[in-house]
Amino acid sequence: MGKVRILIVDDHPMARAAMKEILREEPTFQVIAEAKTGVEAIKMTEKYMPDLILMDIHLPEKNGIEATREIKAAF
């Protein structure tokens, strides 16, 4: 089985860095991309097609709930 490819979406750089550090401890996880906004999350999903998205709810431009709905509908 391959690695679980993860997209991290959070507008706080420290939160993204902390999640990446925690996920590095598990060899089956691979952080493939990061996004700061809901709009970026949609673009990064289309570009990288991650297996898992860790999505913050409170994001600029488009909140995490709206972005998740769009991602689910499109992909």
Side-chain angles (χ1 to χ4, degrees), residues 16-48:
R16 289 193 314 272
M19 284 186 263
K20 278 178 29 179
E21 191 64 31
I22 291 168
L23 292 169
R24 273 194 198 115
E25 295 178 16
E26 176 55 53
T28 59
F29 294 146
Q30 177 186 14
V31 176
I32 57 167
E34 298 177 37
K36 297 176 282 229
T37 69
V39 172
E40 275 187 15
I42 295 165
K43 290 177 184 175
M44 292 292 129
T45 299
E46 182 175 13
K47 183 175 181 178
Y48 295 105

Side-chain angles (χ1 to χ4, degrees), residues 45-56:
T45 299
E46 182 175 13
K47 183 175 181 178
Y48 295 105
M49 294 304 290
D51 300 313
L52 177 68
I53 301 173
L54 298 177
M55 178 82 71
D56 184 12

Side-chain angles (χ1 to χ4, degrees), residues 42 53 55-56 63-73:
I42 295 165
I53 301 173
M55 178 82 71
D56 184 12
N63 72 43
I65 294 170
E66 292 170 346
T68 299
R69 282 188 186 124
E70 286 188 34
I71 289 168
K72 284 180 66 177

